[in-house]
Amino acid sequence: MKITEQEVRHVAALAHLELSGEELHRMTRELDEILAHMDRLRELDTDSVEPMAQVLFPGAENSTLREDEPREPLSHEDAMANAPAAGAGHFKVPRVIER
Amino acid sequence: MEIGKVTIADVQDALRARRISARELTEEALRTAREENPKTNAYLLLAEDRALQAADAVDAALGRGEDPGPLAGVPVAVKDNIVTRGVRTTCGSRLLEKFVPPYDATAVERLERAGAIVLGKTNCDEFAMGSSNENSAFGPVRNPVAPDRVPGGSSGGSAAAVAQGTAVAALGSDTGGSIRQPASFCGVVGLSPTYGRVSRYGLVAFASSLDRIGPLTRTVRDAALLLQAIAGRDERDSTSSSAPVPDYTAAMTGEARGLRIGVPREFFEGLTPETAAQMEKARTLLASLGCELREISLPHTPYAIPCYYIVCTAEASSNLARYDGVRYTWRAPQAETLAEMYAMTRGQGFGAECKRRIMLGTYVLSAGYYDAYYLKAQKVRTLITRDFLNAFGQVDAIATPVSPFPAFRLGEKLDDPLQMYLSDIFTITASLAGLPALSVPCGRTPDGLPVGLQLIGPHFGEPVLFRLGEAFERAGGGSL
């Protein structure tokens, strides 16, 4: 076993993902199989290999900096337009602090 | 004008000779799409008002004697994970069923600036996660060539629209093969450009170090024309490259003599006999074009699947954290506390494949597993990339199958996620290395199912792919 149902429950909590009992069961079986396959990577000796976090191009300029000039941002109204609950220019969420 | 048969050049000729107006063409394209779409479910939405407005602008420019742009009047379908201002963009997810973006993706903006008509938004696997288009919350897409089969994924709707003839061209996105594999399954051309060649601004993020926008078209030339319009540095995407954009059509000289083509032995294992037979014909055709075929080895290929599914799920788990019920249209109605709002919105909103990937990604990034999985995968990614850089010291391009098999039946692989992941074996290595890769039609199996040939080039090697792909196509590669 690579992963137990207990661990799957813990990971789901980390991900803020509600899973039904049946989903939890199925997820454990599937993740176990997938993680077993991923263990193939252990066959490779990578001690002296640098990790690759992004694609970098040899010889091509990849400048990420620009002048810090003010520009027209997305309007407040546009940014809020898709909110499931909004009011007075803010996103609304369930009460966090009791009065 | 038959939308289902024309190329971009045909549209330009007809418009400029005033045989048809952009409005007439767009109305015809919309009518065709409306009538034909129920057969495939390729479109999720037709953007009629926007399309007709754009068409009128093209006609007005023509009327003033101005150049309406190199893609004037061309009906283009856009994958529904590429945002369109004021036009619903769902990513194939219930969570975004009512999401109306407040801005346009750079690629869409550039297409319209070139005169193209955005006809509608195409179906895809939820958040582009899938290889069959069966993970869409809005129903699967059927392959227009064989309706009981999948169109491939995740850009299945875009490939199906072009193959079915309800668009002249389409935009898709490719993270691990999501343009190339559906292009091959539906018998059209698909290009995943070099990472950073096309701005990702407005492409809903799945795995940011892998995601790319690219064209799906009927011909290699049309793919070049589309890329020409959308490629180039964009200040709004810091990973977009400032390398100059060459003239892609100039690269298509009609011949491929003397090109050295690498044939990696690891990519010819486990093919169905039908796919293997088409690859054999492709080799013969490439040789007859004067290409020099060289057997090469990309030795880390067997590790690409675990490497890819660690990297992409890790990035996905992070990118999909934003769908928490606060900003994006849908929140679970039963939630009473903040914690419930997050967990229930995500639990009820995401489909099975998204949940699986969020879970995998969260796991490989979690304390105690980061080094063993995520860091390890990033190191293997370096090894896979090195394999390619070594190979490109000896060859100009690499030729492989796109997929080990042609389009499979709807439902056939749905219950076995690992088998579905394994089917991406030939496309993900170029994804991990950030290399451009073109899928060109390579005839059909005896059952009539399209097969695709994948041509992989060095970074920014799109010109050699277009040259080779167009020569292959011209020599009859599509009807092998």
Side-chain angles (χ1 to χ4, degrees):
Chain A
M1 282 289 277
K2 294 296 303 171
I3 192 166
T4 63
E5 199 163 307
Q6 180 81 21
E7 286 174 293
V8 171
R9 201 173 283 125
H10 169 68
V11 174
L14 288 177
H16 288 293
L17 197 58
E18 184 185 71
L19 298 177
S20 68
E22 194 205 328
E23 279 180 313
L24 211 61
H25 198 66
R26 191 188 157 110
M27 191 74 80
T28 307
R29 185 167 47 78
E30 288 171 350
L31 294 192
D32 194 60
E33 192 189 1
I34 294 166
L35 289 169
H37 183 80
M38 288 175 170
D39 270 353
R40 289 192 72 174
L41 296 188
R42 287 172 202 253
E43 295 167 13
L44 293 171
D45 177 4
T46 53
D47 284 351
S48 57
V49 181
E50 284 293 309
M52 176 174 167
Q54 66 181 104
V55 181
L56 293 173
F57 310 108
E61 210 180 311
N62 231 27
S63 158
T64 55
L65 300 177
R66 60 166 168 78
E67 290 304 310
D68 187 18
E69 294 157 343
R71 289 173 205 195
E72 201 57 41
L74 197 62
S75 78
H76 213 79
E77 200 178 44
D78 279 348
M80 309 287 298
N82 283 292
H90 297 281
F91 294 103
K92 282 189 177 175
V93 295
R95 187 187 300 277
V96 182
I97 302 166
E98 294 300 324
R99 274 178 214 223
Chain B
M1 186 162 225
E2 254 191 282
I3 306 296
K5 299 220 168 105
V6 297
T7 64
I8 292 173
D10 296 334
V11 172
Q12 299 317 304
D13 291 349
L15 276 181
R16 285 172 166 84
R18 302 299 178 94
R19 286 197 299 275
I20 192 167
S21 71
R23 177 169 262 270
E24 287 163 344
L25 181 69
T26 304
E27 282 173 346
E28 174 64 24
L30 286 166
R31 187 162 50 242
T32 308
R34 250 193 320 268
E35 285 169 12
E36 299 294 319
N37 196 52
K39 294 179 189 161
T40 59
N41 197 26
Y43 282 98
L44 292 175
L45 174 145
L46 291 173
E48 310 211 1
D49 293 347
R50 179 171 177 150
L52 291 171
Q53 258 177 34
D56 287 345
V58 168
D59 285 333
L62 282 167
R64 290 191 301 268
E66 294 166 11
D67 180 2
L71 301 179
V74 176
V76 179
V78 175
K79 187 178 181 180
D80 209 23
N81 64 345
I82 300 172
V83 302
T84 38
R85 183 186 174 99
V87 175
R88 201 181 60 206
T89 299
T90 68
C91 295
S93 180
R94 284 269 169 242
L95 265 174
L96 295 182
E97 193 169 0
K98 297 192 170 118
F99 178 58
V100 181
Y103 64 95
D104 278 322
T106 297
V108 169
E109 205 176 86
R110 289 184 180 178
L111 274 186
E112 288 190 331
R113 203 184 300 150
I117 312 295
V118 173
L119 212 57
K121 303 300 292 287
T122 51
N123 207 340
C124 56
D125 286 298
E126 186 175 10
F127 289 104
M129 297 178 186
S131 311
S132 69
N133 216 118
E134 293 169 292
N135 298 331
S136 167
F138 308 108
V141 174
R142 291 177 178 277
N143 191 320
V145 180
D148 59 332
R149 292 178 186 260
V150 303
S154 65
S155 309
S158 290
V162 174
Q164 189 183 10
T166 53
V168 171
L171 286 186
S173 72
D174 192 310
T175 302
S178 280
I179 288 174
R180 291 162 281 161
Q181 185 250 26
S184 79
F185 279 14
C186 293
V188 301
V189 174
L191 173 75
S192 179
T194 306
Y195 181 81
R197 181 71 296 182
V198 176
S199 168
R200 289 183 295 113
Y201 182 74
L203 171 63
V204 175
F206 156 18
S208 307
S209 81
L210 297 157
D211 293 343
R212 314 178 199 177
I213 291 177
L216 294 104
T217 54
R218 287 195 197 106
T219 65
V220 173
R221 182 168 296 273
D222 280 2
L225 290 168
L226 228 69
L227 181 66
Q228 196 82 54
I230 61 176
R233 173 73 181 167
D234 174 16
E235 283 198 342
R236 294 173 296 185
D237 171 9
S238 66
T239 61
S240 70
S241 169
S242 47
V245 179
D247 180 349
Y248 292 123
T249 51
M252 290 178 283
T253 53
E255 54 76 48
R257 186 158 297 280
L259 284 178
R260 299 163 303 166
I261 313 292
V263 182
R265 65 178 78 96
E266 293 83 3
F267 283 65
F268 290 81
E269 291 163 11
L271 307 184
T272 62
E274 294 79 12
T275 299
Q278 293 309 115
M279 286 304 118
E280 204 41 55
K281 293 181 201 167
R283 279 195 205 209
T284 308
L285 185 62
L286 287 169
S288 78
L289 287 170
C291 295
E292 183 197 328
L293 298 180
R294 292 190 184 177
E295 183 164 317
I296 60 168
S297 174
L298 298 166
H300 293 95
T301 303
Y303 301 97
I305 295 271
C307 175
Y308 172 79
Y309 275 96
I310 290 169
V311 170
C312 89
T313 58
E315 294 186 20
S317 73
S318 169
N319 275 325
L320 267 53
R322 74 193 67 180
Y323 305 105
D324 57 4
V326 179
R327 288 158 292 167
Y328 297 98
T329 68
W330 193 76
R331 174 184 296 178
Q334 315 89 325
E336 288 179 6
T337 66
L338 192 67
E340 273 178 16
M341 181 193 74
Y342 295 148
M344 291 167 93
T345 298
R346 293 162 62 74
Q348 294 167 30
F350 286 124
E353 183 59 30
C354 284
K355 288 185 196 175
R356 201 176 291 125
R357 295 201 192 187
I358 289 170
M359 290 291 289
L360 261 175
T362 306
Y363 179 79
V364 300
L365 289 174
S366 65
Y369 298 103
Y370 183 92
D371 285 1
Y373 289 102
Y374 187 61
L375 190 63
K376 183 79 180 180
Q378 286 189 314
K379 290 180 169 189
V380 175
R381 189 176 181 182
T382 299
L383 296 175
I384 288 168
T385 303
R386 265 189 215 159
D387 282 355
F388 278 109
L389 297 181
N390 288 338
F392 285 121
Q394 312 157 37
V395 298
D396 302 301
I398 293 172
T400 80
V402 175
S403 163
F405 37 72
F408 43 91
R409 289 196 167 76
L410 285 154
E412 193 178 317
K413 294 186 195 292
L414 206 50
D415 290 328
D416 192 342
L418 183 59
Q419 282 310 310
M420 193 75 98
Y421 293 175
L422 295 176
S423 74
D424 298 338
I425 177 71
F426 297 145
T427 47
I428 55 176
T429 50
S431 300
L432 287 164
L435 299 165
L438 181 72
S439 172
V440 284
C442 184
R444 297 189 175 199
T445 66
D447 292 338
L449 299 174
V451 172
L453 173 72
Q454 175 174 239
L455 301 171
I456 305 171
H459 291 127
F460 301 101
E462 283 85 357
V464 72
L465 298 185
F466 289 139
R467 177 182 167 199
L468 184 57
E470 200 254 358
F472 183 80
E473 178 184 76
R474 190 186 282 225
S479 46
L480 282 176

